[in-house]
Structures are given as C-alpha cells and as structure tokens.
Amino acid sequence: MDAGELLKALEFAAMKHRDQRRKDEAQSPYINHPLAAVTMLWNHGVRDRVPLLAAVLHDTVEDTGTTREELATVFGEDVAAVVMEVTDDKSLPKDRRKELQVEHAPHLSSHAKLVKLADKIVNLRDLTDSPPANWSPERRAQYFVWAQTVVAGLRGVSASLEQAFDAEHARGTRGN
Ligand code: NDP
Ligand code: ZN
C-alpha cells in the first residue's frame, strides 16, 4: 500500500466530513472514526490497497454528498465498488436498513467484509468508551446484539479481526 495514496484518501475523507461530529458526549471530529477503522485493519495485518482505502472512505457516500462516480474518478472503480457495498440505502427506514445489513453481510465481497468488520469493532469500542450522549443501556445492548448478528455473516475473511470483534463484544457486555 502506497502511503501517498492512503494520505490522499485521509485528506479527502477529512474534507468531506469536516462539518460532522460523532455522537459521543465530546462530539469528536468525524474523521476519527474512519481513521480508527483503517488503523484497525492495518493493525490486523491488512495491507491491500482496496480495503484500506475503502475503510477510510466508507462513510463518505452515506454521510456526505460524495457520489460513487466521484470516488471512482479519484480512487478507481474497485475502491468505489467496495464503498458502495458498505453503504446503506438511506431512503429506507432505519429498522429496514438494519435488517438488510444482516441479510447482505454473507454476500459481500471479502474486501467489503473486512471494512464492515473494522467498522463494527470500532463502533462497539466507542459504545463502551465514548457512547452517544443520550443512549440508554438498553439501546446500547440492542446495538451489541445486532452487531453480532451482522458479524456472523462476515466471518471467514480474517480470524484476527473476528477475535478482535469477539473481545470487544465481550468487554462491552461484561456485567450486563
Ligand atoms: P444509529 O444507527 O442512529 O446510531 C448508531 C450509529 O451511529 C453507529 O452505527 C455509528 O455508525 C454511528 N456513531 C456515531 N457516533 C458513535 C459513537 N460514539 N458510538 C457508536 N456509534 C456511533 O442508531 P441505532 O443503531 O440505534 O439505529 C436505530 C435503531 O435503534 C432503530 O432501528 C430503532 O429500532 C432503535 N432504537 C432504539 C431505541 C431504544 O431506546 N432502544 C431508541 C431509538 C431507536 P457509522 O459507523 O455509520 O457512523
Ligand atoms: Zn462507520
């Protein structure tokens, strides 16, 4: 993986998410999240350009005005395709989007599965360490159950990431 291309993607995502914040009490800068996802992949041995770039860019289409065409022009069709695989259809109600993530997970490409695993691991970590300001314990618990159901369909691409997910899940549900 070329460092220059990774930095270009980080710069692109930072610009796209520049006016957004995460939902934690401190309203962390949004870019911390894609940065955490790509770091998670790197720390678990992923070196392929497509999943690394797609992890950096994974929320740009869903949460900013970025289009598939723009990603394809700047980063290539292969990266754009993986980002689209992990992008929810926001015209659907939230509950349906959640169901579809579970249904789609086993059919994703290996690269998209890696990105989704990293996304779910870092979101569980955030729910334990810096949760959304107004979430009840029940709502957090529901998210842990749902994330585990999605991840059941992602298994088989990285034993190391799966272990990290299981450890994060256990840490977040300990004592519940
Ligand atoms: P959201 O999808 O609105 O929020 C979760 C998402 O927020 C994460 O997947 C992550 O997505 C992003 N996020 C931003 N900041 C954080 C953070 N600090 N920690 C973790 N995630 C963060 O909420 P739900 O997943 O709860 O989806 C709504 C569902 O919740 C509905 O289906 C509804 O049924 C249910 N609900 C339950 C309630 C309850 O009290 N039990 C109340 C209201 C709704 P990303 O990586 O994409 O940024
Ligand atoms: Zn995400």
Side-chain angles (χ1 to χ4, degrees), residues 97-162:
R97 270 144 59 187
K98 297 236 162 234
E99 282 172 8
L100 283 176
Q101 282 205 33
V102 175
E103 285 175 30
H104 289 160
H107 310 293
L108 296 177
S109 67
S110 303
H111 285 160
K113 285 181 178 172
L114 289 173
V115 175
K116 261 214 169 298
L117 267 169
D119 189 36
K120 291 291 179 274
I121 297 166
V122 298
N123 278 338
L124 290 198
R125 188 172 70 192
D126 285 349
L127 278 178
T128 302
D129 297 336
S130 51
N134 52 359
W135 279 31
S136 64
E138 292 71 31
R139 185 158 180 191
R140 247 183 288 173
Q142 277 179 9
Y143 191 98
F144 272 76
V145 169
W146 169 74
Q148 194 164 46
T149 316
V150 176
V151 166
L154 303 172
R155 292 182 187 269
V157 288
S158 165
S160 177
L161 281 167
E162 287 166 32

Side-chain angles (χ1 to χ4, degrees), residues 60-120:
T60 58
V61 175
E62 195 168 297
D63 295 331
T64 79
T66 308
T67 62
R68 181 204 170 105
E69 290 67 35
E70 188 177 5
L71 290 181
T73 303
V74 182
F75 298 102
E77 274 297 341
D78 46 5
V79 174
V82 173
V83 173
M84 294 317 295
E85 280 190 89
V86 301
T87 296
D88 283 357
D89 178 353
K90 277 203 160 171
S91 69
L92 299 172
K94 262 198 170 174
D95 285 354
R96 182 64 189 138
R97 270 144 59 187
K98 297 236 162 234
E99 282 172 8
L100 283 176
Q101 282 205 33
V102 175
E103 285 175 30
H104 289 160
H107 310 293
L108 296 177
S109 67
S110 303
H111 285 160
K113 285 181 178 172
L114 289 173
V115 175
K116 261 214 169 298
L117 267 169
D119 189 36
K120 291 291 179 274

Side-chain angles (χ1 to χ4, degrees), residues 2-39:
D2 173 51
E5 206 181 2
L6 195 51
L7 291 170
K8 177 174 139 182
L10 281 165
E11 193 175 38
F12 181 97
M15 188 62 75
K16 291 292 187 179
H17 292 298
R18 68 185 180 279
D19 294 327
Q20 298 173 324
R21 295 288 179 274
R22 300 300 287 169
K23 297 173 180 168
D24 59 309
E25 199 92 60
Q27 298 190 299
S28 308
Y30 200 98
I31 192 63
N32 289 9
H33 167 68
L35 185 53
V38 70
T39 303

